[in-house]
Amino acid sequence: MQTKTGSTAATPKAEVVPRAPLPTVVPTVPPPGTPTRGGLVRSTRPSAAVPPSTWALVPGSLFANGRYRLLERCGGTADTAFWRAHDTVLVRDVALTVIDVGGDDSADALFDRTMWLCRTRGDAVAVVLDMFERDGRAVVVAQWKQSHALGLVRVGRPTSAAAALDPLARTVADAHRDGAVVAVDHPNRVRVGSDGVAFLAFPGVPATATARGDVRGLGNALSELLTGIHHVGDARPLSPAALRPDVPEALSALVVGSVVSDAAAPVGQPVVGTAEQFVAGLAAVSPAGSPADAPSDAADPDDEDSASTSWPTWAPIVAGGALIAVLATIGWFVGVSLV
């Protein structure tokens, strides 16, 4: 369903700024250990009566009985936090989506809504590894992939932004056809991997997630890829074409039409209300098979080719070496035949 991109440009690893040692906070709840559907592990034991407000999630602290060390907060919303963390048991980095649950919602209900993402495979969604509840928070653990936030990715061609987002948009459309939602409710959930493909880095579907919210999130993500401007909500965003003259009007209209509500849409502005309409809008400006640009933070902003080309800089050297080897072999055979 998702297509691999042709870009092989290497990306610098995200730098983690050293921080002063912070107090270690270890909840007293046993770690998750009950097998559930899909091979995931989820705790069914009640959380300890420790109000979430009595301890904070801060970089450097341990979380979930010391299982995860929090490394970097990657954004969030009023009730959700996105973290890069280190699994101290399996010795690998993971992505944590930590959601405060309460009222009419529960961790089990959130996990049930997230099961569709657990079953899907492809470049557009990080693999879900675990789900558990801890102190009034539902936690979804996903595979961490080397990647960049949308605002840190320089896109050489506007069509590359459309190609980068296409796999995720198609996944969202598939989920909606199955009656599920993906919760692309905030651009910080979406990151761009070293292959140039945008993916849902922080899965976890809260009760507030809706299909219309997914479409709006795709529009906000596309807007940030094109302009570098972080936009959240359904207020009318700045037209990407007005900020960047090389953006096609059709792509700019797709951003505005997917974000704004019917009431706030400008006169004559078609509203993109479904994920299938969004996918069709991307396809209209980005032909099938068009490669997306790989992230390049260090690219010269005045040199578009530095971010848009997919031809490796070492390719001429390899080609030249191969030609010399072929000529040397031919010369050897000629010399042997004359002896």
Side-chain angles (χ1 to χ4, degrees):
M1 179 174 56
Q2 289 80 19
T3 58
K4 297 281 186 180
T5 62
S7 174
T8 57
T11 329
K13 294 182 178 180
E15 180 181 0
V16 178
V17 180
R19 301 176 186 270
L22 294 168
T24 297
V25 181
V26 182
T28 58
V29 185
T34 303
T36 60
R37 291 172 291 177
L40 298 173
V41 175
R42 184 169 69 199
S43 174
T44 57
R45 302 174 184 176
S47 300
V50 180
S53 59
T54 61
W55 55 281
L57 301 179
V58 291
S61 65
L62 291 174
F63 179 60
N65 235 21
R67 174 70 181 265
Y68 303 105
R69 181 175 294 279
L70 303 179
L71 299 178
E72 176 190 7
R73 184 182 170 102
C74 301
T77 64
D79 57 2
T80 304
F82 310 131
W83 285 91
R84 181 171 70 90
H86 185 72
D87 187 333
T88 61
V89 174
L90 298 179
V91 194
R92 63 183 179 185
D93 285 0
V94 294
L96 299 183
T97 305
V98 185
I99 305 173
D100 292 336
V101 291
D104 296 333
D105 199 17
S106 67
D108 281 342
L110 186 144
F111 298 150
D112 287 340
R113 290 190 297 268
T114 307
M115 285 306 299
W116 191 93
L117 296 176
C118 299
R119 292 190 294 266
T120 189
R121 289 292 181 268
D123 296 334
V125 178
V127 177
V128 177
L129 305 173
D130 192 6
M131 298 190 294
F132 60 91
E133 182 181 7
R134 198 56 95 241
D135 301 317
R137 293 180 169 107
V139 183
V140 179
V141 185
Q143 180 185 36
W144 176 262
K145 295 166 58 176
Q146 290 297 327
S147 55
H148 293 266
L150 295 176
L152 298 180
V153 178
R154 184 205 166 213
V155 178
R157 300 183 299 265
T159 53
S160 294
L165 203 59
D166 182 72
L168 179 57
R170 292 179 182 276
T171 299
V172 171
D174 288 342
H176 292 180
R177 281 192 290 270
D178 290 344
V181 292
V182 177
V184 189
D185 53 2
H186 197 285
N188 286 341
R189 282 190 186 264
V190 181
R191 295 175 68 88
V192 179
S194 57
D195 56 0
V197 175
F199 67 101
L200 185 70
F202 299 99
V205 184
T208 55
T210 63
R212 184 67 183 94
D214 282 346
V215 177
R216 184 174 297 116
L218 289 171
N220 284 329
L222 180 58
S223 175
E224 189 162 353
L225 275 175
L226 290 171
T227 66
I229 297 177
H230 190 72
H231 183 273
V232 179
D234 60 357
R236 180 183 177 184
L238 294 173
S239 171
L243 299 173
R244 195 174 160 180
D246 61 334
V247 175
E249 285 294 338
L251 196 57
S252 188
L254 179 63
V255 169
V256 177
S258 59
V259 172
V260 299
S261 61
D262 294 341
V267 177
Q269 169 68 57
V271 175
V272 180
T274 68
E276 290 185 347
Q277 291 175 337
F278 192 91
V279 169
L282 291 179
V285 297
S286 179
S290 175
D293 296 338
S296 177
D297 294 338
D300 180 357
D302 295 324
D303 182 10
E304 180 170 304
D305 290 337
S306 64
S308 60
T309 182
S310 60
W311 182 257
T313 56
W314 43 261
I317 299 175
V318 174
L323 179 61
I324 292 173
V326 171
L327 293 177
T329 303
I330 294 174
W332 183 81
F333 276 113
V334 172
V336 170
S337 63
L338 293 178
V339 174

